[in-house]
Amino acid sequence: MPITFSKYHGTGNDFIMVDNRTGGLNPTVNLVEKLCNRHFGIGADGLILLENAQESSLMMRYFNSDGRESTMCGNGGRCYAHFAHQLGLAGQHVSFYGIDGFHEAYMLDNGNIRLRMIDVSAVEPVEDGFFLNTGSPHFVLFVRNVEEVSVEHEGRLTSKSVNVQHGGTNVNFVQLAGEKVLKIRTYERGVEAETLSCGTGSVASAIAYANFFGFAEGPVELLAPGGTLRVYFNQEGDGYKNIWLEGAVTHVFNGSIEVDDL
């Protein structure tokens, strides 16, 4: 059976996008893992399905490259918005549901896509860092030099030792690079490796930074290996609202692959 897809990346965080409104693709763990395999499949950090929601809206389903359906993906959500626009399902404003609730995105004049993220109710100090949920669980650790961190090794250890009862956490290593400017590298659970950028991780890092240094609004600029993201927010009490993630999205190519060949 052939699967038609589009390949996207948001600042280096790459995805296989499939229009699955007819429900023709059954995303088993084995199939998703093979599609995302960079040697024998298409290759990606994850698979994203565009489906219909019960509310007569669109639904985004995200699967990590380990084949398992996962929590919200910020860069994936931005790519999803572009994909929906390209399919003619939305104009400059795109609304859809993710596993964490309602989202909306805007196509900006500069080519970037700005995505509304869920509110953050609290930032929890844990050991030497901060834990918070931005649609996905994230642990943020501030370091002196992010280039010297062994992200694969340290990230894997931390990922499996924080938020253990709920499957672990993503891990962000963050270095201050200027006023409201951060360098970031992220270890993503489910991918089980460093990714070139992480949207929910950038949101978590920006808010943890604001919480620690005591300022109430963004934007904060995040410099990831794959590109630059900006996070906007406003503090309200102990939480943060009006959170937006902005950055570039690239449509790489379209293709078709025979599932039976995998």
Side-chain angles (χ1 to χ4, degrees):
M1 182 187 80
I3 295 175
T4 300
F5 67 90
S6 293
K7 181 71 182 291
Y8 273 82
H9 80 81
T11 54
N13 199 186
D14 61 337
F15 309 97
I16 302 163
M17 315 290 296
V18 176
D19 179 0
N20 199 41
R21 284 175 292 162
T22 63
L25 176 60
N26 178 26
T28 65
V29 170
N30 186 54
L31 175 59
V32 175
E33 189 175 23
K34 288 182 175 181
L35 288 172
C36 292
N37 188 289
R38 297 191 182 277
H39 300 288
F40 301 105
I42 300 166
D45 291 327
L47 168 73
I48 295 176
L49 302 183
L50 184 151
E51 298 185 344
N52 290 318
Q54 293 180 352
E55 296 83 359
S56 300
S57 184
L58 297 175
M59 170 69 73
M60 169 184 159
R61 294 180 65 195
Y62 173 63
F63 298 78
N64 277 323
S65 59
D66 67 357
R68 293 172 173 81
E69 190 162 6
S70 188
T71 47
M72 182 57 188
C73 177
N75 284 330
R78 296 188 306 103
C79 291
Y80 179 97
H82 191 281
F83 184 51
H85 176 76
Q86 290 293 97
L87 290 173
L89 302 176
Q92 299 299 109
H93 173 250
V94 184
S95 59
F96 62 92
Y97 287 88
I99 195 169
D100 60 339
F102 180 76
H103 292 270
E104 58 181 332
Y106 289 90
M107 325 278 286
L108 304 182
D109 291 340
N110 63 3
N112 286 352
I113 293 182
R114 185 178 292 179
L115 173 70
R116 179 186 287 276
M117 307 296 287
I118 65 167
D119 296 343
V120 172
S121 59
V123 179
E124 178 186 355
V126 176
E127 298 178 354
D128 295 328
F130 300 90
F131 178 78
L132 59 162
N133 192 317
T134 56
S136 289
H138 280 275
F139 181 77
V140 179
L141 182 66
F142 290 96
V143 298
R144 291 186 180 277
N145 188 338
V146 75
E147 302 300 332
E148 295 180 351
V149 176
S150 176
V151 173
E152 298 268 337
H153 176 70
E154 295 184 32
R156 183 175 291 108
L157 292 176
T158 304
S159 176
K160 300 183 185 307
S161 63
V162 177
N163 195 42
V164 177
Q165 68 276 23
H166 297 294
T169 184
N170 302 283
V171 185
N172 307 278
F173 301 93
V174 179
Q175 173 190 338
L176 275 62
E179 185 177 356
K180 293 189 177 182
V181 180
L182 306 174
K183 289 185 177 181
I184 179 173
R185 295 174 67 188
T186 301
Y187 178 91
E188 286 202 46
R189 67 170 189 173
V191 180
E192 303 305 326
E194 179 179 7
T195 54
L196 293 182
S197 74
C198 176
T200 53
S202 293
V203 172
S205 299
I207 290 176
Y209 167 69
N211 181 269
F212 183 77
F213 286 95
F215 60 89
E217 62 182 18
V220 175
E221 190 170 74
L222 286 298
L223 310 178
T228 300
L229 294 167
R230 289 181 179 83
V231 178
Y232 301 81
F233 56 85
N234 298 104
Q235 184 178 9
E236 292 190 18
D238 293 331
Y240 297 82
K241 296 186 176 182
N242 198 30
I243 302 171
W244 295 83
L245 172 69
E246 179 187 329
V249 163
T250 301
H251 176 207
V252 185
F253 63 90
N254 297 324
S256 179
I257 188 169
E258 284 288 341
V259 171
D260 296 338
D261 293 341
L262 293 177

